[in-house]
Amino acid sequence: MEDLGRLLAHRYRLTGLLGQGGMGAVWRARDEQLNRDVAIKELQLPEHLDAAQRQIWLARLNREARAAARLKHPGIITVHDLVTGDDERPWIVMELVRDGSLGDLLKAQGPLAPQQVAGIGLQMLDALRAAHQAGITHRDIKPANVLLEGDRVVLTDFGIAAVDGDDTLTRSGEVMGTPAFMSPEQVRGLPATAESDLWSLGATLYTAVEGRPPFTGTSTGAVYVAVATEDPAPATHAGPLEPVVNGLLRKDPAQRLTTDHLYAMLTQLGSGHPVPAQPPHQPLMAPPAPAPGSPAARGGRLRWVALSIAAAVAAVAVAVSAFVFFARTDSAYDHNLRIAKALGTPSGYTRTAEKNVGGGRARVELTATRTCGGGCSETFTANMDTCKAIREWLMIKPGIAAVGSPMLAPDERSCIVGVKPVRAPGVIQVEVALQNDRTLVRIEVA
C-alpha cells in the first residue's frame, strides 16, 4: 500500500486498493481536475522478466486500453485516459464500477438463481457481440472480469484480447487465459475466436449457478486435460439454464450455440419462461386396433416381426460399432504413446511412467533429480530456467510446429508449455512441476 496517496499525471490521486491479480492491481482514485472517482489499473511486472519480456507486458497493457477505448457500449468498461508514471509504467484510467465483480458476489452470496444468471448472461452476450463486431476477442471471460452495478453488467480486463489489425503479442502455441474458463481450442494453443468467448461465457454462467467451475483439477495441467477431454460436471442447480450451458460447453466450436440462438434462449429465461432442451413436437396419436384375424391384424403381426428383426440387427450393429470405437480408441492410445516415446528424454531425465488419460490421449512422465544445496525451492519464479530448458528441448524435436512461452500456474509450483504439432495427433502440452528434490515433466499427446 506504499502507493496510497500517490498523484499520477498531476491529477489522479490513489485513495484505496480495489483488487489485485496476476498482471496488476486496480486502485480507486480521485480525479482532482474533474472532481470524480475513477478506477486505475496498475501494471505490476514480475522481477524475473528480461527487457524483451518487459516490453511485451507493457504492450499488453497499452493494447488493453486501445481495445476497450474502441468500444462504446454500456456493457463494456469505459476507458478515460492512459497515463505514464515516473517509472515509465502505463496506468489505465477507467470508470469506477462500484458494486464489485460477479466473482465477489459468488464468494459473498454463493450460487445465484438461474433466472438472475440468465439476465446477467444476456447483458454479457450483448457486450460480447459488440466487441466481436468491432473485431475484438476478449479471451479471458470469467466471473472476476464481470463487474456489477445495480442492474448493469460490465465486461472489463481486455489485457489479453485479440484485436483485428494489431500485431499479435501471443506467440503461436502460447496458452493465454484462466485455465478453468479457457475453451478447448485455447488449451490446445489454437487462436481464440468469438466461439471461444462463448465457451467462456458458458463456463461463467455455469459457475454462477453451481458455485464452482465446470472443470476442476488438482493442478493446472489436470484442468487443461479436463477441459480438452472430459464432459463438464453435471449442472445440478442450473434448472432451466441447463440447455444454455450445455449448448455453450461443446468441444467443437462449430457445434456451440450461435449468438442469435443464445440471445433468444436467455431472453426467454429472463422473462421467466422455461427453455426446452429439444424443439417442441406433437405426440403421435395411436390408430384404432384392427379386429382379430382380419388382414390388417395379420399384416400388423408381420410388421411387428419385421420390426423386431430390424431392431435385433440394429442392436448388433450398435454393439459392433461400440467394439470398433473402443478398438480404435485403444489403437489411438498406442499410436499416441509411440509419438510421446519417440521424443526421447532430455539429458538427465528418465521416463518413469506412461498412462492412458482417456479418449486415446497418452501421457508420459519424465523425472530428473534436483541438486540444490541448502534446500530446493518449489516456486518457478526462482526456477524459470527449468521450464525454459524444457521448451528449448521441445523446439528442436520433429513433428512440433511451434512452442509457446512457459505459463506459470497460480500456485507457482508448475508451468505449462503450449505446443502446436505439425499435424494431429501430436504433442499438445507439456507440464513441468517441482516436487521436493525432483523435477517432473508430463508430456501429453492427442
Side-chain angles (χ1 to χ4, degrees):
M1 298 287 287
E2 60 184 19
D3 283 323
L4 190 63
R6 180 177 179 180
L7 187 65
L8 294 171
H10 305 291
R11 66 181 289 187
Y12 303 110
R13 190 170 301 279
L14 305 184
T15 59
L17 185 63
L18 294 174
Q20 197 153 2
M23 284 184 64
V26 179
W27 294 82
R28 178 193 291 267
R30 186 69 175 174
D31 182 347
E32 297 184 344
Q33 182 173 326
L34 295 180
N35 197 29
R36 65 177 176 181
D37 290 329
V38 294
I40 301 186
K41 183 171 181 177
E42 169 196 11
L43 180 64
Q44 295 175 337
L45 301 177
E47 294 181 359
H48 67 267
L49 295 182
D50 58 27
Q53 292 171 322
R54 180 183 175 87
Q55 288 305 311
I56 289 175
W57 281 61
L58 293 173
R60 279 181 179 149
L61 193 76
N62 278 290
R63 183 175 63 179
E64 175 180 357
R66 292 198 309 273
R70 280 175 57 169
L71 302 170
K72 186 175 178 60
H73 189 277
I76 295 173
I77 197 76
T78 300
V79 171
H80 296 314
D81 203 354
L82 180 65
V83 299
T84 303
D86 297 337
D87 55 2
E88 300 301 318
R89 286 184 299 145
W91 298 63
I92 300 178
V93 183
M94 304 171 290
E95 65 170 313
L96 178 64
V97 180
R98 299 179 182 276
D99 293 346
S101 71
L102 175 60
D104 296 331
L105 180 62
L106 294 175
K107 288 178 184 177
Q109 187 173 313
L112 307 179
Q115 189 171 347
Q116 181 183 2
V117 174
I120 292 172
L122 189 60
Q123 292 193 57
M124 291 177 63
L125 175 62
D126 199 40
L128 278 176
R129 291 204 297 187
H132 296 160
Q133 288 169 2
I136 296 173
T137 305
H138 190 286
R139 298 202 300 180
D140 199 20
I141 301 294
K142 59 184 178 181
N145 288 340
V146 181
L147 302 181
L148 306 174
E149 188 173 55
D151 294 332
R152 183 182 172 216
V153 178
V154 184
L155 287 184
T156 189
D157 202 343
F158 286 76
I160 63 169
V163 182
D164 288 354
D166 272 11
D167 292 335
T168 180
L169 296 175
T170 304
R171 283 168 280 193
S172 179
E174 186 176 2
V175 181
M176 294 292 296
T178 304
F181 298 93
M182 289 169 61
S183 66
E185 58 269 24
Q186 287 174 277
V187 167
R188 292 175 180 269
L190 300 176
T193 63
E195 289 74 22
S196 307
D197 279 350
L198 291 180
W199 165 284
S200 301
L201 171 60
T204 299
L205 300 183
Y206 179 108
T207 302
V209 289
E210 297 297 320
R212 55 178 170 79
F215 300 94
T216 59
T218 56
S219 67
T220 302
V223 175
Y224 284 149
V225 171
V227 168
T229 65
E230 299 175 7
D231 292 329
T236 56
H237 301 95
L241 197 66
E242 186 176 10
V244 172
V245 295
N246 288 342
L248 291 172
L249 296 178
R250 293 174 178 169
K251 306 296 185 191
D252 183 356
Q255 296 300 316
R256 289 172 203 154
L257 292 174
T258 64
T259 54
D260 289 342
H261 192 186
L262 178 59
Y263 189 88
M265 295 173 76
L266 290 174
T267 300
Q268 189 172 0
L269 271 174
S271 65
H273 298 297
V275 175
Q278 298 176 359
H281 61 276
Q282 295 296 325
L284 296 176
M285 301 298 293
S294 66
R298 291 194 299 273
R301 285 195 296 273
L302 289 174
R303 284 193 297 274
W304 183 85
V305 171
L307 288 171
S308 299
I309 293 172
V313 170
V316 172
V318 169
V320 170
S321 298
F323 173 79
V324 171
F325 170 79
F326 286 113
R328 285 177 178 170
T329 300
D330 291 340
S331 175
Y333 166 68
D334 293 336
H335 181 61
N336 292 343
L337 184 60
R338 286 194 294 272
I339 293 174
K341 287 181 176 179
L343 287 174
T345 58
S347 176
Y349 286 79
T350 57
R351 189 167 64 248
T352 53
E354 54 192 51
K355 184 179 180 181
N356 186 339
V357 292
R361 191 180 184 122
R363 176 195 294 164
V364 298
E365 294 185 355
L366 314 176
T367 304
T369 302
R370 300 172 65 201
T371 56
C372 24
C376 288
S377 170
E378 294 187 17
T379 59
F380 261 107
T381 51
N383 294 275
M384 190 54 73
D385 286 345
T386 306
C387 267
K388 291 180 179 178
I390 294 298
R391 179 179 184 270
E392 291 172 0
W393 172 72
L394 288 166
M395 290 176 67
I396 63 173
K397 292 297 176 180
I400 293 178
V403 183
S405 296
M407 185 176 71
L408 194 63
D411 62 4
E412 297 189 348
R413 293 189 178 184
S414 64
C415 72
I416 302 294
V417 180
V419 179
K420 182 178 181 180
V422 173
R423 64 180 63 86
V427 177
I428 61 166
Q429 79 170 29
V430 176
E431 179 183 9
V432 185
L434 301 177
Q435 298 181 349
N436 298 322
D437 60 348
R438 66 175 185 152
T439 301
L440 179 64
V441 178
R442 299 184 181 96
I443 300 174
E444 297 196 0
V445 176

